[in-house]
Amino acid sequence: QYVISNAYFQLELRGQGGVLRQLRAGSDVLAENQDFYGDQAYFITQPNARIDASSDVECAVSVRAEVDGFRLRFEGQLRGDGRFALKRPPLWYRNEYVFTSAPRFTQRWAFRTEKAFHSQQAFLSFYIGQVAAERFCFQRTGRTLTEGPVVAGGAARQGQTQGPPDAVAFGRSGKPSWSLTGLKVPPGADVHAFLQGHMLFLPLLDGDESSLSDDHWQEFEATWDLPH
């Protein structure tokens, strides 16, 4: 695994896919178990399975110095956790972080398929498996789209947006708030956001009529703004 820290946060990344294992601000855990994954009919490689970045044992890794920090990039293909659970044709991902000495870092991610598909049942998403929050607020250009309490253990979707937010803020009683800001999504993509229990989803594909063109990276970006 990789551990990145400064005066404001400590971030643990998995060696497979570079996905976030745990994010802390001091002793306070803010988020855990972030990943990129696909499931439903089109992305199934084995019965009742899914494909994800955290199962990519062959991902490429690069590090590059920046003006006051560094860039850490992972690239590979989403796959299942079984020995032969490869998607054919492959679905590629990129996952990149830019770190400085500030109380924030930027994450960029993207998906690309080698063969276009149309009108398939598919779900393909960035997600955070555990957000430490009691309330959430999805926003666009400073305006609230949806907000409310985080329903622990809830099976239903909470606060699903129509179209993408550009920020999502999380809060807990007696704790500083934190947020994902500056969210950018692929042009023309039907991206929305929702919570399910303490899980946050930002899906690129979601439903029975999902389509993806080939040899084109679908690129996302967000900044993790942390307490300071």
Side-chain angles (χ1 to χ4, degrees):
Q1 69 178 20
Y2 299 82
V3 179
I4 299 95
S5 63
N6 64 15
Y8 304 99
F9 66 83
Q10 178 174 296
L11 175 66
E12 296 180 22
L13 302 177
R14 299 185 188 279
Q16 297 179 181
V19 291
L20 184 153
R21 180 181 178 274
Q22 187 178 82
L23 174 63
R24 289 178 173 268
S27 61
D28 194 21
V29 176
L30 302 181
E32 296 182 288
N33 297 325
Q34 179 267 321
D35 209 339
F36 311 101
Y37 84 96
D39 67 6
Q40 299 187 16
Y42 183 76
F43 292 124
I44 296 299
T45 58
Q46 294 177 318
N48 301 315
R50 70 185 203 179
I51 56 175
D52 52 41
S54 60
S55 294
D56 183 17
V57 296
E58 298 177 334
C59 71
V61 185
S62 65
V63 181
R64 191 176 76 192
E66 297 290 322
V67 174
D68 62 346
F70 67 98
R71 185 184 304 265
L72 183 58
R73 176 169 169 164
F74 302 80
E75 187 166 354
Q77 63 175 296
L78 302 187
R79 64 178 72 200
D81 61 4
R83 182 179 179 186
F84 301 107
L86 295 174
K87 180 76 178 73
R88 294 290 185 241
L91 180 72
W92 299 95
Y93 72 89
R94 290 197 312 244
N95 182 25
E96 181 180 87
Y97 301 87
V98 178
F99 300 101
T100 67
S101 58
R104 66 188 60 87
F105 60 89
T106 298
Q107 184 176 12
R108 301 184 180 101
W109 66 96
F111 303 102
R112 178 176 66 84
T113 182
E114 287 193 1
K115 183 178 180 181
F117 59 89
H118 304 280
S119 301
Q120 299 290 324
Q121 183 186 20
F123 187 78
L124 178 62
S125 185
F126 165 104
Y127 94 112
I128 303 174
Q130 182 76 16
V131 175
E134 295 174 357
R135 296 193 61 82
F136 72 93
C137 180
F138 291 119
Q139 302 171 333
R140 186 185 300 134
T141 60
R143 180 174 60 89
T144 296
L145 300 177
T146 60
E147 62 179 340
V150 175
V151 180
R157 295 185 177 190
Q158 307 168 52
Q160 180 164 311
T161 63
Q162 298 295 318
D166 59 20
V168 52
F170 298 103
R172 283 191 293 176
S173 299
K175 300 283 188 179
S177 61
W178 66 279
S179 58
L180 293 174
T181 62
L183 177 64
K184 299 176 183 178
V185 304
D190 184 21
V191 176
H192 51 271
F194 64 90
L195 270 79
Q196 190 171 356
H198 282 87
M199 298 183 293
L200 170 68
F201 293 86
L202 298 170
L204 172 63
L205 304 177
D206 184 9
D208 295 338
E209 296 296 321
S210 296
S211 301
L212 203 61
S213 59
D214 57 349
D215 292 325
H216 175 70
W217 284 103
Q218 302 287 332
E219 297 178 330
F220 293 76
E221 179 177 323
T223 295
W224 297 68
D225 281 309
L226 309 175
H228 59 279

